[in-house]
Amino acid sequence: MSRTVYVNGAYVPEEEAKVSVFDRGFLFADGIYEVTAVLDGKICEWEGHVARLERSLGEIGMKMPMSVSGLLEVHREMVKRNNLEEGAIYLQVTRGATDRDFLMPEGLEQTVILFTQAKKLTGEKTGLRVVSVPDIRWGRRDIKTVQLLAASLMKTEAKKQGKDDCWMVEEGFVTEGSSNNTYIITKEGKIITRNLTNSILPGITRKSVLRLVKELDMEIEERPFTIEEAQNAAEAFMTAATSFVTPVIEVDGVGLGGGTPGPVTKRLIEVYIEESRKASC
Ligand code: PMP
């Protein structure tokens, strides 16, 4: 079924949507994106995503394409026009179109695009098998740019190896998954996840999950961990806007917790979805 997409102020059938071949998003990956989950036709974690959008844009010298309330309206309109009950909304903002030049031009009209993907985000999760790969991405992974080639190559490599995702490793420590933040739970029940620096994206799901973990009185340590530590962990999981909390059951061929999702991860899956539904708008 054809979707309705949003392009620069207009809602159009996806087949009719057009952007310039000179768009800097296309020529230089000069753009920022955000992804929000939709549950029961409502947008999850709106405030977190819109705050990160503004920060990412600012880091590359771009401004917000419209007001926060205007953006929310467009998101809601996309849900309505696409009858989206459960799935994701992608928002892409590029610097705009101009003749090809490495020098960033000032005052271009930004390209603003939204599209939806209907998919089941809730339901039983069997767990992912991950493989480690060198992290070959650039040094500003804290900015959510549309420059996703390295992550895409690495995820494809993981699939070639018959696995579900990759865990990227830099200087001996896991940075993150192809499009998610990563966590291990030690045998003593402590949750370890990498601290926020330019090496990883500050996940919106990560922020909420850490808050919930604190509320549940679980211990957290924010620091880098190794693949070996992960292989010796009781449980592992990942978080992302469109997959919430997802168990990881194998790391480089070593099964965790007997190869099935562990109890803490299962609890976090439930609690996160419950909270996310409550806070959706
Ligand atoms: N790290 C990377 C590299 C990602 O692409 C994503 C997904 N956008 C995340 C982490 C998770 O972030 P969020 O919870 O905001 O989706």
Side-chain angles (χ1 to χ4, degrees), residues 33-35 49 52 137 141 144 148 151 168 176-181 200-206 239-242:
Y33 79 111
E34 271 300 330
V35 192
H49 287 286
R52 186 174 62 190
R137 297 172 303 161
R141 302 164 197 152
K144 199 164 170 65
L148 297 171
M168 301 184 267
E176 49 192 342
S178 63
S179 57
N180 47 74
N181 292 116
I200 63 169
L201 188 78
I204 303 307
T205 322
R206 177 188 183 281
T239 62
T242 55

